[in-house]
Amino acid sequence: EARRTWAATAPTRHDVVLDIGAHVGGYATWAARECGARVVAVEPATSSFALLEANLAVLPRARAIHAAVLANPTAPTTTLWLDAQHPLRSCSASTATKARRNRPSEQVPVWGWGELLVCDPTIVKIDAEGAEYELLGSGPLPLTVRCLAVEWHFTGHPDWRDTAKAIIARIEGEEGFRLVAGTNVLFRRPLDWEKRWHVLGVWRR
């Protein structure tokens, strides 16, 4: 599924990729090294960011930023709740998840969504474990964005079905995006709102 999604978002050297939740840089490295795009990759978890920074260090058109991204930050840092089971502790790290108990945490720097959008991205990828609701719900994307890739996460988010449906309706309505890839497209069926892995999509203007 990741390969199919990447293919649908394949950038060129003329693109600017904004990768929110870049983890260790699998997509960001490919976009910069193989496709020649300019990449801004953002990862909040310290352990994952260390590897992301190392992976992008030899790529002059790629920049790694250690931060959680919030729509309207009110402080320079925020609490990131980590994955206690994963060695990198970041596969489901989130600022939004309500499942706090028995989870380690760390304070991480914060960047505002608007601060990142000034790079005039043409491709936006968001895999932010719940933060996608806040970011995409805060208003329209810049007109420079021609491709949007999102994995929706539902854990702990109130009214996630209605919220996600409303955001997608706006993206596909007034913002003019069309769904071109995702599990539901590949298997020619509607979005399955009961199974989170079915709500992963790539939209293009």
Side-chain angles (χ1 to χ4, degrees):
E1 183 64 19
R3 291 191 188 96
R4 289 190 288 262
T5 302
W6 285 14
T9 60
T12 71
R13 63 185 181 86
H14 302 293
D15 281 308
V16 178
V17 176
L18 178 56
D19 186 354
I20 305 297
H23 197 230
V24 300
Y27 176 80
T29 301
W30 171 77
R33 186 181 62 200
E34 305 299 329
C35 304
R38 186 158 70 89
V39 175
V40 178
V42 189
E43 170 57 41
T46 302
S47 57
S48 294
F49 176 76
L51 293 175
L52 171 67
E53 189 174 39
N55 286 332
L56 298 187
V58 297
L59 301 170
R61 289 174 60 80
R63 177 187 180 188
I65 296 175
H66 182 210
V69 184
L70 301 178
N72 298 293
T74 57
T77 64
T78 191
T79 302
L80 183 73
W81 301 92
L82 303 171
D83 184 345
Q85 306 302 317
H86 194 271
L88 286 176
R89 310 183 93 179
S90 63
C91 279
S92 64
S94 179
T95 59
T97 303
K98 285 188 174 180
R100 314 281 197 222
R101 288 191 294 274
N102 301 319
R103 276 191 158 207
S105 67
E106 63 180 12
Q107 287 294 304
V108 298
V110 169
W111 274 52
W113 180 227
E115 293 179 89
L116 290 168
L117 293 177
V118 298
C119 73
D120 293 329
T122 56
I123 297 174
V124 174
K125 169 184 165 284
I126 303 177
D127 184 0
E129 305 294 330
E132 60 275 4
Y133 294 92
E134 178 184 351
L135 302 184
L136 294 174
S138 64
L141 288 163
L143 293 177
T144 57
V145 180
R146 65 173 181 84
C147 182
L148 171 67
V150 185
E151 181 172 352
W152 299 88
H153 297 273
F154 307 145
T155 305
H157 191 280
D159 304 319
W160 60 265
R161 286 184 185 83
D162 291 341
T163 304
K165 287 178 181 179
I167 294 172
I168 289 173
R170 192 197 75 225
I171 288 170
E172 295 181 349
E174 62 194 71
E175 295 204 45
F177 285 90
R178 180 174 63 89
L179 188 68
V180 296
T183 305
N184 55 302
V185 174
L186 292 168
F187 294 100
R188 300 182 184 281
R189 61 191 179 202
L191 291 173
D192 187 339
W193 294 98
E194 300 302 323
K195 297 179 180 179
R196 57 183 288 175
W197 53 87
H198 282 176
V199 188
L200 178 148
V202 177
W203 288 263
R204 283 184 179 273
R205 272 190 173 125

